[in-house]
Amino acid sequence: MKRQQHLLESQYTVVTERFNVSGVVKYKDKQKDLQYVQQYQPQKEGIRYLRVLLYGPVGPGKSSFINSASNVFQEQMTIPAFANATASNKSFTRVYETHKFSKGRGSSKTFFPVAFNEIMGLEEGEDRGVHADDIKLALEGHVMEGYTFNPASPLIKNNIGYNRTPSADDKVHVLVCVVSANAPEINPSVLKKMKSIRETATDLRIPQIAIMTHIDDACGEIQKDLQNVYKSKYLRKKMKDFSADMGIPLNCIFPVKNYSEEIDLKDDVDFLILSALKKMVDFGDNFIEKHC
């Protein structure tokens, strides 16, 4: 137990490296990281987009994170994914859709080569929310664009929506678990599904990280000043507990605040989102290079 605690403490130190001793964000890194993710290009033939799949329980803000990532990539407020602003115990997302972020306008319009898919939220019970098997199929590229998830029946071969011959471009290159720092403990049956998905991704050698959202709602100190994120004892415990539950290393769990009520971009919000995006690009590119 002491050895595990020491490991978690060491990992947490790694997580805070990009903040100075007083906990203040090093904003000078923001522009460097922004250029890094904007200028990234997959180097394998046949792969146009580094594909990121978001999964997790209902309600942590998967769609909102996609919108927030779009804001950062395009350096303006955008809404590529429909997000639900009201609390609910049912998943808002039901259709498998790829979200790409445009650059340029008119005839010169292209897309940044990082694409996001989100999946219907995991719910308690066998016939509620997305089936874990559907997420496993998505990892291998077998879920077609526009497929509508059916809680009563997982996708199977010969069904409409099943991609028999996925390309390397259809497959997932990074798996991201999205959870809320402001939510109670994850239901055991939902956690079991999440672990099963993680095991499948591990078997496929797909890299994984986690995003912890709603950090400002979870901690008054962070709500007062987002730069207190790595000084929050509450958030630190929340991240450590989730790491222990899921087995995701602490330095692969990224606290973020999604854009929700802001009307303009903010450096401290962008910085946390960029930290997560940069790691997605690093891990995804390494996977593409080695396994695609």
Side-chain angles (χ1 to χ4, degrees), residues 232-250:
S232 168
K233 292 181 179 179
Y234 173 85
L235 183 61
R236 182 177 184 175
K237 183 178 186 306
K238 198 80 174 180
M239 291 170 65
K240 286 169 66 176
D241 289 346
F242 180 72
S243 175
D245 286 341
M246 280 290 289
I248 297 177
L250 203 58

Side-chain angles (χ1 to χ4, degrees), residues 99-119:
H99 299 280
K100 297 177 290 186
F101 310 141
S102 62
K103 54 181 176 179
R105 300 176 66 86
S107 60
S108 63
K109 179 179 177 180
T110 56
F111 294 93
F112 291 103
V114 179
F116 286 82
N117 288 86
E118 60 174 317
I119 208 149

Side-chain angles (χ1 to χ4, degrees), residues 9-258:
E9 293 288 346
S10 299
Q11 290 171 341
Y12 196 82
T13 301
V14 173
V15 172
T16 61
E17 277 183 352
R18 303 191 67 206
F19 285 65
N20 67 20
V21 291
S22 63
V24 178
V25 174
K26 295 179 180 177
Y27 288 118
K28 66 180 181 180
D29 290 338
K30 178 192 167 182
Q31 197 60 34
K32 178 182 176 183
D33 287 352
L34 179 59
Q35 290 176 355
Y36 181 84
V37 299
Q38 286 179 331
Q39 296 173 5
Y40 167 74
Q41 290 285 341
Q43 296 301 307
K44 277 294 180 78
E45 185 177 351
I47 298 181
R48 298 170 299 164
Y49 301 101
L50 187 156
R51 189 175 298 275
V52 179
L53 178 64
L54 307 181
Y55 80 106
V58 173
K62 295 183 286 294
S63 299
S64 294
F65 178 78
I66 291 174
N67 291 337
S68 298
S70 175
N71 295 345
V72 171
F73 267 100
Q74 299 186 77
E75 300 182 73
Q76 62 181 353
M77 302 300 284
T78 61
I79 47 170
F82 290 109
N84 191 7
T86 59
S88 172
N89 62 354
K90 292 186 178 294
S91 180
F92 185 70
T93 299
R94 296 189 178 274
V95 176
Y96 193 68
E97 181 181 2
T98 299
H99 299 280
K100 297 177 290 186
F101 310 141
S102 62
K103 54 181 176 179
R105 300 176 66 86
S107 60
S108 63
K109 179 179 177 180
T110 56
F111 294 93
F112 291 103
V114 179
F116 286 82
N117 288 86
E118 60 174 317
I119 208 149
M120 188 179 183
L122 294 162
E123 299 181 35
E124 182 181 1
E126 295 301 319
D127 58 349
R128 296 182 60 188
V130 68
H131 280 263
D133 288 345
D134 283 349
I135 301 182
K136 295 173 184 178
L137 290 176
L139 291 173
E140 296 178 308
H142 289 298
V143 180
M144 284 186 175
E145 183 80 4
Y147 172 73
T148 300
F149 297 105
N150 182 357
S153 176
L155 179 64
I156 59 174
K157 291 181 180 179
N158 300 322
N159 277 12
I160 296 175
Y162 184 88
N163 181 7
R164 285 174 167 271
T165 55
S167 68
D169 207 34
D170 295 323
K171 297 177 181 180
V172 170
H173 308 126
V174 183
L175 178 65
V176 178
C177 183
V178 184
V179 294
S180 172
N182 196 39
E185 286 188 14
I186 300 171
N187 179 277
S189 69
V190 173
L191 187 62
K192 183 179 178 181
K193 292 179 182 179
M194 292 166 63
K195 288 181 176 180
S196 174
I197 293 161
R198 173 163 158 71
E199 287 172 5
T200 298
T202 300
D203 290 341
L204 294 170
R205 312 295 292 273
I206 297 172
Q208 303 154 50
I209 71 168
I211 292 171
M212 189 163 283
T213 62
H214 300 155
I215 56 175
D216 52 327
D217 295 326
C219 176
E221 289 301 309
I222 298 175
Q223 190 172 56
K224 188 186 304 180
D225 186 346
L226 197 58
Q227 294 187 30
N228 288 327
V229 58
Y230 287 121
K231 296 192 288 185
S232 168
K233 292 181 179 179
Y234 173 85
L235 183 61
R236 182 177 184 175
K237 183 178 186 306
K238 198 80 174 180
M239 291 170 65
K240 286 169 66 176
D241 289 346
F242 180 72
S243 175
D245 286 341
M246 280 290 289
I248 297 177
L250 203 58
N251 59 353
C252 292
I253 302 173
F254 293 82
V256 302
K257 180 195 181 318
N258 287 332

